[in-house]
Amino acid sequence: MKKIKEFMTALKKAAGLTGTKWVVWEHIQVGKSHCETCLKLNKCWFIEEKKPKLPQHFLCHCTTKPISYTDVVNFATSNSDSSKFDPYLFNRGMAYSHNKQKLFESWGYTIDDADWLQKTIEEQGVEKYINGDYDLGLLNKYGQRINIRVEIPRKDKEGTVSFLTGWMVCPNGRIQLNTPYGGK
Ligand SMILES: [Zn+2]
């Protein structure tokens, strides 16, 4: 399976999906102006069509510079904290007030799948981010959130389900999982 995936990735690259232009945000501080939001965006990677508003504010001197798609493919990464899955998502010990575990249980998943789910969501997350397949979410002094749709097989019957995952864009091509289930 891994080989097929690598082959498909190579094909996509060769096909020049690369109409997609990537840029890196550069925070430029002039004088004493200082903006926490812009600082958080510094060195973050976005596709040109889906980058935060520029300028961000009056007297914002930030800029964006192009980065190569090859670098994005080679260096983009995703990561997540296992606690987002166990205990949080599967609500171990019913310690949380959400009912997200019920959804996953209705698709045949249990807390034993937490590791698999984490790995799968990390893999699909970075793959879709690289393809520019994300939507911008909330931006504030903590950073820029993006939403990424992932798809997993049902375990109770044939078919798949898809849902939104929530991520924070971090410097140098990294995305960090905020929410393993952020909505339908
Ligand atoms: Zn700025």
Side-chain angles (χ1 to χ4, degrees):
M1 272 312 274
K2 187 121 194 262
K3 278 273 179 286
I4 295 176
K5 224 170 115 187
E6 281 168 9
F7 178 63
M8 289 306 292
T9 309
L11 256 190
K12 279 187 206 161
K13 262 193 271 181
L17 258 188
T18 48
T20 314
K21 288 200 187 96
W22 279 82
V23 294
V24 55
W25 189 279
E26 294 205 347
H27 173 249
I28 294 175
Q29 192 173 332
V30 173
K32 284 188 176 160
S33 73
H34 168 90
C35 167
E36 285 181 272
T37 304
C38 287
L39 262 179
K40 281 287 181 190
L41 289 170
N42 192 36
K43 295 188 162 57
C44 289
W45 300 358
F46 301 98
I47 61 169
E48 178 65 37
E49 308 91 272
K50 294 182 198 168
K51 67 170 197 260
K53 182 172 70 92
L54 184 67
Q56 266 295 311
H57 51 85
F58 182 61
L59 292 181
C60 168
H61 293 88
C62 293
T63 183
T64 58
K65 286 195 176 155
I67 47 167
S68 81
Y69 181 64
T70 311
D71 279 355
V72 175
V73 171
N74 288 335
F75 300 117
T77 54
S78 63
N79 70 296
S80 59
D81 192 328
S82 62
S83 68
K84 297 273 183 187
F85 296 85
D86 179 8
Y88 177 73
L89 181 64
F90 285 96
N91 210 344
R92 185 185 283 275
M94 299 301 280
Y96 304 90
S97 58
H98 71 74
N99 273 321
K100 295 175 181 182
Q101 79 282 1
K102 287 197 175 151
L103 264 176
F104 285 83
E105 283 161 9
S106 75
W107 303 328
Y109 287 85
T110 70
I111 201 160
D112 293 337
D113 300 306
D115 287 348
W116 180 89
L117 209 53
Q118 180 184 9
K119 192 167 156 278
T120 302
I121 286 177
E122 282 182 353
E123 279 174 8
Q124 282 192 34
V126 72
E127 195 176 319
K128 297 206 163 181
Y129 176 56
I130 288 170
N131 286 334
D133 200 0
Y134 67 81
D135 287 315
L136 291 176
L138 181 69
L139 168 65
N140 61 16
K141 65 178 180 177
Y142 301 109
Q144 175 69 62
R145 281 73 153 187
I146 56 172
N147 295 314
I148 294 178
R149 177 164 296 281
V150 299
E151 186 176 283
I152 56 172
R154 296 187 68 124
K155 290 184 83 178
D156 58 329
K157 58 178 180 187
E158 290 281 299
T160 60
V161 283
S162 80
F163 52 91
L164 290 176
T165 55
W167 304 77
M168 183 71 85
V169 182
C170 303
N172 306 311
R174 188 168 69 83
I175 55 172
Q176 165 88 35
L177 186 71
N178 279 342
T179 315
Y181 182 87
K184 278 193 266 187

